[in-house]
Amino acid sequence: MIVAIDGPSGTGKSSTSKAVAAKLGLSYLDTGAQYRAITWWMLTNGVDVDDADAVASAAGKPTIVSGTDPSHPTITVDGVDAAGPIRTQEVTSKVSAVSAVPEVRERITELQRSIAASAGQGIVVEGRDIGTTVLPDADLKIFLTASPEARAARRSGELKGADVHATREALIKRDAADSSRKTSPLAKADDAVEVDTTDLTLQQVIECVVTLVEEKRAAA
């Protein structure tokens, strides 16, 4: 059972995906963390992330390993635990530029497909282009949405003391960058089920997705 959960930042993707995977005994993959990891590696190793050619030629160098246990997802880069460093503001501000480079997407997409293929019990994969590009044959595709205001409020709640207005502007800017890039843009797959999380609690979103997965399993 492969479940693809896509959508922009702040829609509850990560929390929902982890909880659904844990509840249903599936593996879990945060694909955004992989793009953050390669961005962090580039920044740490002095690659000019605004130079697409430099990013492209370095894309194959780092070794990125994702742990798929939903209760304790891990990510290492060249053997170093990167879970903390990849969440810095510097990485956040550069990840869209790095992930727009076709060679980076190719490398990470390949990695994601091999992880999904080797998940014996099935897997919940969350990202921005899973249902459209990475796993177009996923058993179930879900696209989470929410209003920019709701997303900004959630995201600034995660980033203690963040300015909601500034967060909202940053989210809208990132949506525009992710939706307009040439390679694998953020988009809803034609056969995806859209779930608007604006007025739902996290628990309600989790229950909704669990129900969708169980229905799909029953019909299989």
Side-chain angles (χ1 to χ4, degrees):
M1 183 80 188
I2 292 180
V3 182
I5 299 185
D6 289 304
S9 303
T11 52
K13 271 200 320 277
S14 295
S15 309
T16 300
S17 301
K18 273 188 280 207
V20 168
K23 211 164 185 174
L24 297 174
L26 303 171
S27 296
Y28 160 75
L29 177 61
D30 173 359
T31 64
Q34 296 175 315
Y35 285 107
R36 285 175 169 274
I38 201 164
T39 302
W40 174 69
W41 183 90
M42 301 262 175
L43 291 166
T44 308
N45 286 276
V47 177
D48 179 357
V49 294
D50 295 314
D51 178 348
D53 292 335
V55 170
S57 60
K61 293 181 180 174
T63 301
I64 297 168
V65 178
S66 297
T68 58
D69 175 352
S71 59
H72 184 58
T74 56
I75 188 153
T76 63
V77 183
D78 295 340
V80 176
D81 177 6
I86 65 171
R87 302 291 168 188
T88 62
Q89 190 50 49
E90 188 186 17
V91 171
T92 300
S93 66
K94 298 296 183 186
V95 68
S96 281
V98 172
S99 57
V101 175
E103 288 79 358
V104 169
R105 296 208 79 79
E106 211 171 286
R107 162 89 203 282
I108 301 289
T109 296
E110 209 173 286
L111 184 59
Q112 291 162 2
R113 285 177 178 154
S114 69
I115 292 169
S118 61
Q121 298 300 310
I123 191 166
V124 177
V125 183
E126 59 133 316
R128 285 172 161 71
D129 65 339
I130 310 306
T132 52
T133 304
V134 180
L135 300 166
D137 298 328
D139 300 291
L140 175 63
K141 300 174 191 177
I142 293 167
F143 193 84
L144 297 183
T145 63
S147 70
E149 291 71 24
R151 292 164 50 210
R154 287 171 191 163
R155 191 40 62 94
S156 44
E158 288 166 17
L159 311 166
K160 302 288 177 267
D163 173 339
V164 176
H165 180 71
T167 304
R168 179 178 179 275
E169 294 308 305
L171 286 174
I172 290 171
K173 193 175 165 191
R174 177 144 188 216
D175 288 350
D178 290 346
S179 304
S180 61
R181 62 170 177 246
K182 289 188 178 69
T183 311
S184 307
L186 163 67
K188 173 177 175 274
D190 294 337
D191 53 348
V193 179
E194 187 168 323
V195 178
D196 187 337
T197 70
T198 304
D199 299 317
L200 300 177
T201 63
L202 177 60
Q203 205 44 52
Q204 287 171 320
V205 180
I206 293 165
E207 282 165 16
C208 171
V209 174
V210 165
T211 302
L212 288 167
V213 177
E214 286 175 336
E215 284 171 356
K216 199 74 187 177
R217 272 181 170 171

